[in-house]
Amino acid sequence: QVQLVESGGGLVQAGGSLRLSCAASGRSFSGYAMGWFRQAPGKEREFVAAISWNGGNSYYADSVKGRFTISRDNAKNTVYLQMNSLIPEDTAVYYCASQPLRATMTASTYDYWGQGTQVTVSS
């Protein structure tokens, strides 16, 4: 069993920044790719960013490229999402998830998910 716990969400004005954290427990964190997804009200869950098991490769949705940065600290069993230049369209519940094989943009390939953290960007 794997537990993923997100934190760091909140309310921020447009143009501001937030850093999300996802703490993992229950299995060897360093062996798995990690991803961030988000879901806005009335919309489907969408890919945001993913990072390989050693942090050597990262991938981003076009909508966040250049504004968001994913990183990980395997010693702390934690993955981060630094979000800069936030816009109202970034408002969503953000989820982290683990991927046992490789970093992908497809939600169905991720096996464990956190409970989500709300990010609200006001205009």
Side-chain angles (χ1 to χ4, degrees):
Q1 191 71 12
V2 175
Q3 294 80 42
L4 301 174
V5 179
E6 301 97 335
S7 61
L11 173 65
V12 63
Q13 288 188 332
S17 299
L18 283 174
R19 188 176 81 154
L20 305 183
S21 299
C22 173
S25 61
R27 71 179 177 191
S28 178
F29 176 75
S30 61
Y32 295 86
M34 297 294 294
W36 285 97
F37 293 78
R38 67 187 182 186
Q39 188 166 18
K43 295 187 177 181
E44 294 188 353
R45 190 170 299 189
E46 65 173 0
F47 170 77
V48 175
I51 190 167
S52 60
W53 68 274
N54 63 355
N57 294 292
S58 56
Y59 310 90
Y60 298 92
D62 288 343
S63 59
V64 307
K65 203 171 293 184
R67 300 188 298 121
F68 291 11
T69 303
I70 189 171
S71 62
R72 65 190 296 162
D73 185 339
N74 287 345
K76 295 182 178 179
N77 289 352
T78 302
V79 62
Y80 304 97
L81 185 67
Q82 178 66 44
M83 306 186 294
N84 299 328
S85 302
L86 285 160
I87 59 178
E89 290 75 16
D90 294 321
T91 295
V93 177
Y94 283 71
Y95 300 89
C96 70
S98 65
Q99 220 286 5
L101 295 177
R102 59 184 177 86
T104 76
M105 297 186 291
T106 307
S108 62
T109 66
Y110 287 76
D111 56 357
Y112 289 98
W113 293 78
Q115 83 290 347
T117 186
Q118 176 71 47
V119 171
T120 304
V121 183
S122 63
S123 57

